[in-house]
Amino acid sequence: MRAIYRIARLELSNLFYSPVAWLLLVLFVFMTGMGFADMMEMLARRQELGSRGLYAISRVIFYTPMGGLWSRVSQFLYLLMPLLTMGLISQEFNRGSIKLLFSAPITGRHIVLGKYLGIMLYGLLMMAFLLVYVLIAGCLVESFDWSAVLTGLLGLYFLFGLYAAIGLFMSTLTTYPIVAAIGMFALLTLLNLVSGIWQEFTFVREITYWLSLGGRASTFIKGLICSEDILYFVLMSVMFLCFAILKLQLRRESCSFAGKAARYLGVFLAAVFLGYLTSRPTMKWYHDSTHTKSNTLTQASQDIVAQLDGGLKITTYVNLFGSIHSITTKGINSDIARYERYIRFKPETKLDYVFYYYTDTTTEAFKKRYPEKTLYGAAKDAAKLQGTRLGKYLSPEELAREEALRNIDLSDEGYRFVALIERDNGQKTFLRVYADMNRLPGETEISAALKRIAMKLPQVGFLSDHGARSIVGDKNRDYSYMVAEKMYRKSLLNQGFDVTDVNLKRNPGVLDSLDVLVVAEPLEPFTNEELETLYRYVESGRNLVIAGKPKSYSHLTPLMEYLGLSFEPGILVQQQIDEYPPHLFLCRATEEAQEISRLWKSLYVNTNMGRRPASLVMPGALAIEQKAEKGFRVMPLFQGRDSAAWNELETIDFVNDTARLNPKAGERAGVKTTMVGLEREHAGKQQRIIVLGDADCFSMGELSTTRRGISSANGDLIMSMFDWLSYEELPVDTTRPDPIDNKLNLGMDAGGTLQIVLKWVLPALLLLLGILVLIRRKGK
């Protein structure tokens, strides 16, 4: 140990007597100081000029994935370390001093470990400068996220240690330092790309994925400590140090090529074996050091996973001709990473992937893209285009056998990218991709799918007789998009709700199993028996949604009167907006709406002027009034934006005629309520009822419509409504605590001064110190 310490001290002194080490240190301090100071000055300027304010400052400065200081430092180390380590041992060969080391009473192990310790002490100095930036930020940022930032710094030091071990090994292979540097660049590139090798073979995929250096330090930078990553850096560093020791030892003894190869291979296999064992889910340990626990499942998701006793298997079906989203066999590990947070809490989860090819060869699109091709021929071309082998894909016949074995029908899913989630008890559900910008399901959708097979979910029934809105039809007025559209992320189906069709004539008993009943614009009056059935449902204390339209609201009048409400006659109009007709009614959430549940708050958006309610579009709406007290707490949830709006009774053609307020005809102007919420304690339950003045606001036609200049929150309203009606059980609450490090105690002038000090003064002082040390060394 004493010999290792002496070599380390000598190596460290040699580094500081080398202009290269000083220049690299000055360059490192200049680059990192410039990045940190520029970020601090920019944040100080934003705060002082009164922009939207600062948010999660610790993350912005240090561990934002793309622009944070720690990500930049990891890139600097990739460039600097080959230059720093290229001469650690190669110079000893070049100068001939290696003979003195070999003749001394020390082994190759002493030489390698001593030099490694020396370079690691140099690395501590580099980390010390980074720690200065952390301390400065910690003093200037209120409620600074110390643990997450220091976790990132720890990861950078692990990365430095691995780079040092690799550089040390490469410097034993040649007498030319520049060749060692180039070789290290090549090896680092290989370690970053190795995860893409032989991904179609499960065991090999797991080995190459473990060997990959890419993203290892990023885990620490994001504020997550994982035992697998710690052991990766330790095992890989030890492996390259052992390689270096072997290289020096084999220079001093005679050994055949096979013997040399066997020793290197033995070290490599031992490291890979230990790495494979420690990468098993049951062997991993995690610590999320961020304040908001952004690297961990939310508590709601953890509770769902905890209820999934027994085995769990997720089989992903990938169509070679898939639309919306697809992967190849090379992308399996990237897809598996989406479930990493769930596997952390249920490590026995099994993941499998089934690749197949299927498409309709009779369509014009297929014939145009693959003229005169059979399905097999087109699949060969598609596989070749994606750089994969068709032999890994099931044919339609093989897929049919797979479907029969699993008792599933992928045609119902449109043969799109889909994951089948199965429990040992036979429960199963699909997890889909969506036709939006994000495509892939997030934590909310994954947890909703797991919740569907973990517990009983709220049952929502939609009245279908009397011409009410259908949940399976494809007309613009129908609700199939909101309820069961598999490619729509916010559909009730994808958010975990169980939905059923209700027919009062054929099966009124189904009401007994419902948690929520939706009655949307019946076109025929109810019979007395049917009304009594609906009244009994209300008296049972369960929840209800009523939605009307100006031309047919009279069929809902008995039910409205039973609740103490009424629809105001006429269609609501407001001042015309651009080219849109005046009966395109724009509403906004009330202050009361913000308080009823968490998702109603999302209907308010942040602006430079503070929080304002988002717009709800109602293409033909009724106003709602309270007529009698029925024991409910009545809350207006949405109201018209125009205080001069009125209920138009005379105008029918809004294109060719102009609507004008006529009080004599019974038209009344004012702020009109278009949605109310009713709440009461009844029958041992907290009953909740929503009444809307427009059944079209979440219809299939409205949800698929965009209007220039109007930003609609109708899709968010669906989630807000059913979140409240299900007592916040669905959608799954995946919100996290707000960051608390949102204030920077630094002004613009002070920010400019800090920039000068860190960018110019500190590197200049360090450069001056280096010059003085080198001059003194030369004088001696």
Side-chain angles (χ1 to χ4, degrees):
M1 188 64 190
R2 185 176 298 177
I4 294 174
Y5 172 72
R6 288 177 178 176
I7 294 173
R9 186 175 62 180
L10 179 62
E11 184 62 35
L12 189 61
S13 64
N14 286 337
L15 280 172
F16 284 105
Y17 289 140
S18 165
V20 173
W22 279 104
L23 287 174
L24 291 179
L25 186 60
V26 170
L27 179 62
F28 178 79
V29 172
F30 173 74
M31 297 295 290
T32 56
M34 178 175 64
F36 174 75
D38 286 348
M39 181 65 72
M40 294 291 285
E41 195 273 336
M42 182 270 291
L43 292 174
R45 184 170 63 251
R46 280 182 53 190
Q47 181 172 263
E48 192 161 320
L49 293 177
S51 61
R52 293 188 178 183
L54 304 184
Y55 188 77
I57 301 176
S58 307
R59 175 184 175 86
V60 172
I61 298 174
F62 290 101
Y63 59 100
T64 300
M66 298 301 295
L69 180 61
W70 290 165
S71 297
R72 297 183 184 182
V73 171
S74 66
Q75 297 170 5
F76 296 158
L77 291 178
Y78 179 83
L79 299 174
L80 295 179
M81 289 303 291
L83 302 177
L84 185 63
T85 60
M86 63 183 182
L88 286 177
I89 292 180
S90 60
Q91 284 185 350
E92 304 288 353
F93 289 111
N94 198 20
R95 292 194 297 251
S97 56
I98 192 67
K99 296 179 181 179
L100 296 175
L101 292 173
F102 283 166
S103 63
I106 57 175
T107 64
R109 179 174 61 86
H110 292 117
I111 297 171
V112 170
L113 295 183
K115 287 183 172 290
Y116 184 71
L117 179 58
I119 197 67
M120 290 301 289
L121 292 174
Y122 181 87
L124 277 179
L125 179 61
M126 298 177 72
M127 297 301 114
F129 281 103
L130 298 180
L131 183 60
V132 170
Y133 306 145
V134 175
L135 294 175
I136 292 173
C139 294
L140 296 176
V141 178
E142 290 190 7
S143 303
F144 185 68
D145 198 350
W146 287 98
S147 58
V149 174
L150 292 176
T151 296
L153 186 60
L154 175 64
L156 291 175
Y157 193 57
F158 274 124
L159 183 64
F160 180 94
L162 178 55
Y163 283 170
I166 295 173
L168 184 60
F169 167 63
M170 297 304 298
S171 70
T172 65
L173 300 180
T174 177
T175 59
Y176 300 102
I178 190 64
V179 175
I182 295 173
M184 183 176 174
F185 275 123
L187 185 55
L188 291 179
T189 302
L190 176 62
L191 287 176
N192 278 286
L193 299 177
V194 70
S195 62
I197 298 176
W198 296 324
Q199 293 297 288
E200 58 267 35
F201 306 106
T202 303
F203 179 75
V204 177
R205 179 176 70 240
E206 293 180 351
I207 295 298
T208 56
Y209 193 73
W210 181 85
L211 284 172
S212 176
L213 177 58
R216 294 289 183 177
S218 299
T219 304
F220 288 91
I221 290 172
K222 291 186 294 186
L224 179 65
I225 300 175
C226 178
S227 60
E228 179 190 4
D229 294 315
I230 294 176
L231 292 172
Y232 171 83
F233 283 114
V234 172
L235 290 172
M236 291 292 284
S237 298
V238 170
M239 183 183 76
F240 281 105
L241 291 176
C242 289
F243 285 168
I245 293 170
L246 278 175
K247 180 62 179 176
L248 293 184
Q249 287 180 344
L250 292 173
R251 279 180 173 268
R252 305 172 71 173
E253 57 185 76
S254 178
C255 184
S256 65
F257 176 79
K260 294 178 182 180
R263 294 189 189 184
Y264 282 110
L265 184 61
V267 172
F268 174 76
L269 291 179
V272 169
F273 175 72
L274 292 174
Y276 179 78
L277 286 182
T278 57
S279 67
R280 299 303 86 203
T282 54
M283 299 289 290
K284 292 184 184 181
W285 169 86
Y286 298 86
H287 173 68
D288 190 347
S289 58
T290 61
H291 170 72
T292 59
K293 303 301 177 186
S294 57
N295 302 300
T296 308
L297 287 180
T298 57
Q299 189 58 51
S301 296
Q302 292 182 40
D303 294 340
I304 293 170
V305 174
Q307 297 191 47
L308 292 169
D309 55 335
L312 183 69
K313 184 176 183 181
I314 303 176
T315 305
T316 302
Y317 291 87
V318 186
N319 188 355
L320 180 63
F321 297 100
S323 59
I324 300 181
H325 179 73
S326 185
I327 61 171
T328 65
T329 53
K330 297 179 180 179
I332 290 177
N333 275 321
S334 298
D335 193 71
I336 289 176
R338 297 191 295 117
Y339 303 105
E340 178 69 25
R341 296 181 182 184
Y342 290 88
I343 297 173
R344 171 178 167 183
F345 293 95
K346 193 170 180 60
E348 66 272 24
T349 302
K350 296 179 181 179
L351 299 175
D352 191 18
Y353 287 80
V354 175
F355 292 84
Y356 67 95
Y357 61 90
Y358 181 88
T359 190
D360 187 354
T361 59
T362 63
T363 63
E364 290 299 322
F366 178 87
K367 294 177 181 179
K368 184 176 181 181
R369 186 170 184 178
Y370 302 102
E372 301 180 1
K373 291 275 187 179
T374 63
L375 176 60
Y376 179 75
K380 287 182 64 176
D381 290 349
K384 190 179 298 183
L385 182 64
Q386 294 187 14
T388 187
R389 296 187 302 164
L390 187 60
K392 292 294 179 181
Y393 290 78
L394 301 182
S395 66
E397 294 76 21
E398 294 170 323
L399 178 64
R401 290 194 290 270
E402 168 74 15
E403 290 177 295
L405 179 66
R406 295 293 183 87
N407 193 25
I408 58 175
D409 185 2
L410 293 180
S411 64
D412 286 344
E413 301 296 325
Y415 294 103
R416 291 182 290 269
F417 185 97
V418 68
L420 175 67
I421 304 177
E422 299 174 282
R423 295 181 67 184
D424 283 349
N425 61 10
Q427 290 180 297
K428 62 182 67 174
T429 189
F430 280 114
L431 178 65
R432 305 170 180 88
V433 291
Y434 312 107
D436 55 28
M437 292 180 61
N438 295 324
R439 305 289 184 180
L440 294 170
E443 182 182 339
T444 301
E445 291 74 41
I446 297 175
S447 294
L450 292 175
K451 194 169 186 175
R452 182 181 293 280
I453 58 176
M455 62 193 73
K456 182 182 181 299
L457 296 178
Q459 185 88 3
V460 182
F462 283 77
L463 190 69
S464 62
D465 51 350
H466 295 282
R469 305 293 177 109
S470 170
I471 60 173
V472 294
D474 57 359
K475 298 178 180 178
N476 279 343
R477 72 187 297 268
D478 292 331
Y479 287 164
S480 53
Y481 199 74
M482 173 187 78
V483 174
E485 174 53 55
K486 294 175 180 177
M487 291 190 293
Y488 182 48
R489 185 183 299 270
K490 295 178 181 178
S491 71
L492 299 183
L493 174 70
N494 288 325
Q495 293 300 323
F497 290 92
D498 285 329
V499 182
T500 188
D501 189 81
V502 177
N503 191 298
L504 292 178
K505 293 180 180 178
R506 293 197 303 266
N507 187 18
V510 73
L511 293 179
D512 296 334
S513 64
L514 298 182
D515 298 290
V516 182
L517 174 65
V518 179
V519 182
E521 196 200 2
L523 301 180
E524 302 168 355
F526 296 112
T527 65
N528 291 332
E529 293 78 8
E530 291 168 341
L531 285 174
E532 287 298 325
T533 300
L534 292 174
Y535 296 158
R536 284 196 301 271
Y537 176 85
V538 173
E539 288 304 314
S540 69
R542 282 169 291 169
N543 297 344
L544 178 68
V545 177
I546 299 174
K549 287 296 288 184
K551 292 183 179 180
S552 56
Y553 72 92
S554 61
H555 305 310
L556 290 170
T557 298
L559 190 56
M560 291 286 285
E561 290 178 347
Y562 191 79
L563 300 175
L565 302 176
S566 70
F567 288 121
E568 187 176 11
I571 184 170
L572 291 178
V573 296
Q574 60 190 1
Q575 294 181 358
Q576 191 166 351
I577 303 173
D578 296 331
E579 71 273 20
Y580 301 114
H583 68 288
L584 185 71
F585 204 72
L586 298 185
C587 316
R588 57 187 175 190
T590 63
E591 293 295 330
E592 293 93 330
Q594 286 193 84
E595 306 302 325
I596 66 172
S597 74
R598 59 182 178 88
L599 286 185
W600 284 87
K601 293 180 181 179
S602 68
L603 298 175
Y604 276 68
V605 295
N606 292 316
T607 67
N608 290 332
M609 303 300 292
R611 287 178 59 80
R612 66 172 179 80
S615 294
L616 178 70
V617 180
M618 289 189 168
L622 292 159
I624 304 169
E625 298 177 307
Q626 182 178 8
K627 291 296 186 180
E629 173 60 47
K630 297 289 185 175
F632 291 97
R633 173 193 172 206
V634 181
M635 300 169 289
L637 300 179
F638 269 88
Q639 294 178 331
R641 298 198 311 179
D642 185 1
S643 60
W646 71 91
N647 58 316
E648 178 61 41
L649 295 169
E650 298 178 315
T651 305
I652 298 177
D653 184 356
F654 291 98
V655 176
N656 299 309
D657 294 341
T658 301
R660 294 181 175 85
L661 177 63
N662 184 4
K664 295 180 179 180
E667 299 172 353
R668 295 178 293 167
V671 176
K672 300 294 184 178
T673 299
T674 55
M675 182 188 299
V676 299
L678 307 179
E679 191 174 38
R680 69 175 176 177
E681 294 290 337
H682 188 71
K685 302 175 184 178
Q686 186 183 56
Q687 187 176 30
R688 295 174 174 179
I689 297 174
I690 288 179
V691 180
L692 299 100
D694 180 25
D696 275 328
C697 65
F698 37 71
S699 66
M700 188 171 180
E702 182 58 35
L703 292 178
S704 59
T705 297
T706 57
R707 298 179 179 88
R708 182 177 59 84
I710 298 178
S711 178
S712 167
N714 291 39
D716 295 326
L717 174 65
I718 299 170
M719 295 296 96
S720 301
M721 286 173 49
F722 286 94
D723 172 67
W724 187 59
L725 293 168
S726 67
Y727 307 102
E728 294 75 54
E729 185 174 349
L730 288 174
V732 178
D733 182 6
T734 57
T735 56
R736 302 181 185 276
D738 291 330
I740 57 177
D741 51 337
N742 302 327
K743 184 177 181 181
L744 180 65
N745 297 317
L746 182 71
M748 288 177 58
D749 295 337
T753 302
L754 181 66
Q755 194 175 41
I756 293 172
V757 170
L758 295 181
K759 189 189 296 186
W760 304 109
V761 176
L762 184 59
L765 291 175
L766 192 61
L767 179 62
L768 180 61
L769 178 61
I771 292 173
L772 292 175
V773 170
L774 292 175
I775 291 175
R776 185 181 178 188
R777 171 68 173 176
K778 187 175 182 181
K780 289 184 177 181

